[in-house]
Amino acid sequence: MTDLHSHLRDRILTTLAGLGIDRAAAEPMVRLDPPKNRDHGDVALGAFQLAKLAGKAPPALATELAAMITSDAIVESAAAAGPFVNFRFRREALAREVLTAIQSDAVPYGKANQHGQTVCIDFSSPNIAKPFHIGHMRSTVIGNALCRIHRHQGATVHGINHLGDWGMPFAKMMTAYMRWGNEAELHKSPMRYMFDLYKRYSVEAKQNPALDDEAAKHFQALESGADNQERRMWQLLRDESLKAFQGPYARLGVTFDHITGESFFEDKMEAAMARVSASGVLEDSEGAQVVWLKELGIKEPCLLRKSDGTTLYHTRDLAAAFYRETTFHPDRILYVVGAEQKLHFDQLKGVLTKMKEPIAKAVEHVPFGLVLSKTDEGKWEKFASRSGNAVFLDEILDEAVAKVRSIIREKNPDLPNADEVAEQIGVSAIIFNDLKNSRIKDVKFDWESMLNFDGETGPYVQFACARLSSILRKVEVSVPDSDQIDFSLLADAERVLLTMMDFGTAVQRAAEQSEPSHVTGHMIALAGEIHSYLREHYVVGEAPAIQNARLVLVDAARRLLTTGLGLLGIAAPERM
Ligand code: ARG
């Protein structure tokens, strides 16, 4: 919350107390949001819930509040509009509060102190021995942004890579490798090689279903815990995959606090199963063990042990939930996984709910849509294998960077460290494109719109940042301390200032709703506002008092854009 917000909030709560409304009860209901239309006011208060508390109709309470909250040094006016009260801040106070807070890195612009909430974020989690596909890229990018956003908000965050390194999918890979693979070839290009083996397995298993039985046997041997050939193979393929994933992770600026894949739960599943059984919800079904969830509206039972005694993806997720509970004491566990796994997470939460485990409440699936690419006929289709080839993330990133490199060659041939800048812009274009819309929507993967420097893109926001940096380089004075400027000179910058003021709301919503698009949207808005301001106003060469005030404004915009991009995992180049 900004100082402007807390001042106004305090005035509202005091006024409500005067109307006999309990402060503590009212507190969570006083939310000051940006109004739909900025012409109506700077912030709006919806009186719906408060009116219930007051036993009045919302418009009546709104009118009463608007009349009672008179102007002061910060608040200029209050006006009721139906069930809302719209407030306006004094322009000088707006400029002073916003710019001083940004310059001193105060909350919400700077990082908050730890506030005691703990959030586990389970993200990326590719399956080893398989290419890092585009769906995992979405999880990686969204999860990374959520980790950064929650840290900014002061939560203790555990970013977890729940690698798929166990179970049947992996056993199939192992089977293929044992039949047809060799180590010298593997080391040459591990992911490609494993991918080719996997493809061969899929083709041959269609003709020869006995392959799947073989895979099941290998999995049983692996799960037996013995030091056998399967175990050695598992270690080799896991090590090679992790090494290969490191490339894309580094380029996307992603790190994990814990890489605890499915295999990590190998020795924790029996205890988990015992706990399910003790709670009385486990049932036998033709030799397998399941939990029925019909009463929770879930038709399919959750399968926790197959009749051959082996465990499943669900068994490991259950063990992981218990492990996270005792190890991290999380308030929330966010599973950033595609929408196609909705049933899986409904069942996981369902089993925990049926067991009356308190951790059930913390489990939140954060689903997202597909990535689509355009076919030659111009139709949007699931981004899959082009001509039967997997699309390796590294190659996609390379393509983006190469495209940006050629744009730079054309537009700014003298740019120093052009390769580094091209990498930053190319990667950011992909990240931003992924986070731009509400995550549940499908992402259209289209180079032209992604790399458009004038569109709603990463490069557009980065360009705004670089432009501000260039202005600051051009003046040969340093940015003054905000207490040295005359804020009344910034009355013409109200739109920029109001947008800056909204930063905290955007980040808070992103954290609450697991929706980084609130931050991308805010970045686009801020970049747009500062661009239009600079179209009409000069900075360099104005009278000293004006130049100084605008320098502080420009510097604040640059800082805020850099912070916002940072929350998305995107670097802000100084020049481009
Ligand atoms: N490895 C899984 C997949 O690629 C995703 C794992 C998601 N996390 C989890 N705790 N289930 O489909």
Side-chain angles (χ1 to χ4, degrees), residues 122-128 130 133 136 139 160-165 262 313 316-317 320 324 335-338 340-341 344-345 348:
D122 177 320
F123 73 111
S124 190
S125 311
N127 298 324
I128 64 168
K130 279 215 212 163
H133 69 69
H136 291 121
S139 171
I160 305 172
N161 189 341
H162 188 80
L163 274 187
D165 59 357
E262 293 186 42
Y313 182 41
R316 291 182 280 286
D317 256 326
R324 290 168 188 175
Y335 296 83
V336 187
V337 188
E340 66 282 0
Q341 292 195 27
H344 173 82
F345 290 103
L348 175 65

Side-chain angles (χ1 to χ4, degrees), residues 493-523:
E494 63 171 346
R495 294 190 64 92
V496 181
L497 291 163
L498 286 170
T499 309
M500 287 175 165
M501 183 187 77
D502 292 341
F503 179 81
T505 309
V507 180
Q508 188 185 342
R509 285 186 184 166
E512 284 171 358
Q513 303 166 12
S514 302
E515 196 58 272
S517 59
H518 289 299
V519 178
T520 44
H522 185 262
M523 293 293 101

Side-chain angles (χ1 to χ4, degrees), residues 99-168:
L99 296 177
T100 306
I102 294 177
Q103 198 170 65
S104 60
D105 234 359
V107 174
Y109 310 107
K111 186 178 176 308
N113 289 330
Q114 303 286 71
H115 55 46
Q117 204 194 41
T118 298
V119 185
C120 288
I121 305 183
D122 177 320
F123 73 111
S124 190
S125 311
N127 298 324
I128 64 168
K130 279 215 212 163
F132 198 111
H133 69 69
I134 200 97
H136 291 121
M137 182 181 85
R138 288 215 71 190
S139 171
T140 307
V141 164
I142 297 170
N144 186 41
L146 292 177
C147 286
R148 289 163 180 258
I149 289 167
H150 279 286
R151 284 201 181 100
H152 183 87
Q153 295 292 83
T156 301
V157 172
H158 295 278
I160 305 172
N161 189 341
H162 188 80
L163 274 187
D165 59 357
W166 207 247
M168 271 305 276

Side-chain angles (χ1 to χ4, degrees), residues 24 153 186 236 281-283 573:
Q153 295 292 83
L186 174 74
L236 172 71
V281 304
L282 196 62
E283 290 181 46

Side-chain angles (χ1 to χ4, degrees), residues 231-270:
R231 175 118 340 218
R232 282 188 295 278
M233 187 80 0
W234 170 78
Q235 192 68 51
L236 172 71
L237 298 178
R238 185 181 193 273
D239 290 350
E240 285 299 331
S241 305
L242 266 181
K243 249 192 270 166
F245 293 155
Q246 211 35 57
Y249 285 147
R251 296 179 75 179
L252 293 169
V254 172
T255 53
F256 299 94
D257 302 296
H258 313 277
I259 301 187
T260 40
E262 293 186 42
S263 66
F264 180 78
F265 300 98
E266 183 189 0
D267 62 355
K268 298 171 183 65
M269 285 187 278
E270 284 317 313

